Amino acid sequence: MPACFDRLWRFCVALTGQRALGDDLAQMTCLRALEKADQFTPGTHLDRWLFVMARRLWLNELRRDAIRQTESFSANADDQHPAEIPSTETNIMAREVFQKMNALPEAQRVTALLVFVEGYTYAETADMLDIPPGTVMSRISAARKTLATQMEAATGTDA
C-alpha cells in the first residue's frame, strides 16, 4: 500500500476538492483496505481497488453528511508528496494546471486526474468510476476544451 499512497492521496484530494478532506479520505481508505484485505485478489491492481474504495467511501460520506465542496484544491509544493523535488518551472506549470483543473466540474476533474495525471486508459477509468467508457470520453473532451480555452486566455494566444 505505501507504493500506491501518493496516487491515492492525489485521487482523494481531487475527489473531495479539499486537501484536509482528501487527507481524511485517504486515511479512511487505507483503514478500510486493511479491514477488507482478505477481499483483495492478489495479482490484480491494488491502486484500482483503492481508488474504487475511496470513491465509494466519499459517496457514502456525501450521502451521510451532505458535504458540499467549499474550498478549492491548491497544488502547492507543500501539498504534494513527491518522490523527488521537481524543478521550479515544473512546480509553476503544475500549479497552473491544477488550478485550471480545479475549475472543472467534479466529474470532469476526477476523470481528468485519472486519465491525464495517473495515466489510466479510458476503459480503466470507466471501470473505476463505474460509468460507461463513452462518458469518460465525453468528460475528457469537455475538460480538454475548457482547459484549452483557459490556457489560451492566460497566454493570450489562439490554438
Side-chain angles (χ1 to χ4, degrees):
M1 210 172 356
C4 298
F5 187 77
D6 288 346
R7 296 172 68 203
L8 173 65
W9 180 84
R10 282 192 303 266
F11 179 75
C12 290
V13 171
L15 191 61
T16 64
Q18 298 180 35
R19 182 174 186 233
L21 289 175
D23 288 343
D24 292 345
L25 181 59
Q27 290 175 13
M28 286 190 315
T29 303
C30 289
L31 179 61
R32 177 68 56 91
L34 291 172
E35 292 170 352
K36 306 280 184 180
D38 60 321
Q39 295 178 8
F40 177 71
T41 306
T44 61
H45 297 279
L46 177 62
D47 54 349
R48 294 181 198 171
W49 186 66
L50 292 171
F51 288 173
V52 168
M53 189 177 297
R55 182 174 172 272
R56 287 182 182 152
L57 284 169
W58 179 242
L59 290 175
N60 289 342
E61 195 72 25
L62 286 175
R63 286 182 196 110
R64 183 175 42 251
D65 299 331
I67 294 174
R68 299 285 183 232
Q69 293 182 12
T70 57
E71 193 175 302
S72 65
F73 172 67
S74 174
N76 295 323
D78 62 334
D79 287 351
Q80 299 178 17
H81 299 280
E84 58 185 56
I85 298 173
S87 69
T88 302
E89 293 82 14
T90 301
N91 277 337
I92 291 169
M93 181 60 124
R95 183 175 303 118
E96 289 174 7
V97 170
F98 275 109
Q99 285 172 344
K100 291 185 184 345
M101 280 182 63
N102 188 52
L104 297 171
E106 178 186 346
Q108 290 178 16
R109 182 176 66 238
V110 170
T111 304
L113 176 95
L114 289 173
V115 173
F116 298 147
V117 178
E118 299 301 338
Y120 288 105
T121 66
Y122 289 4
E124 292 167 336
T125 300
D127 187 48
M128 281 186 273
L129 298 178
D130 195 28
I131 58 177
T135 302
V136 172
M137 289 188 279
S138 175
R139 289 179 184 178
I140 291 299
S141 176
R144 280 186 177 143
K145 285 178 186 174
T146 301
L147 292 173
T149 302
Q150 290 176 357
M151 293 302 283
E152 287 173 12
T155 61
T157 61
D158 292 326

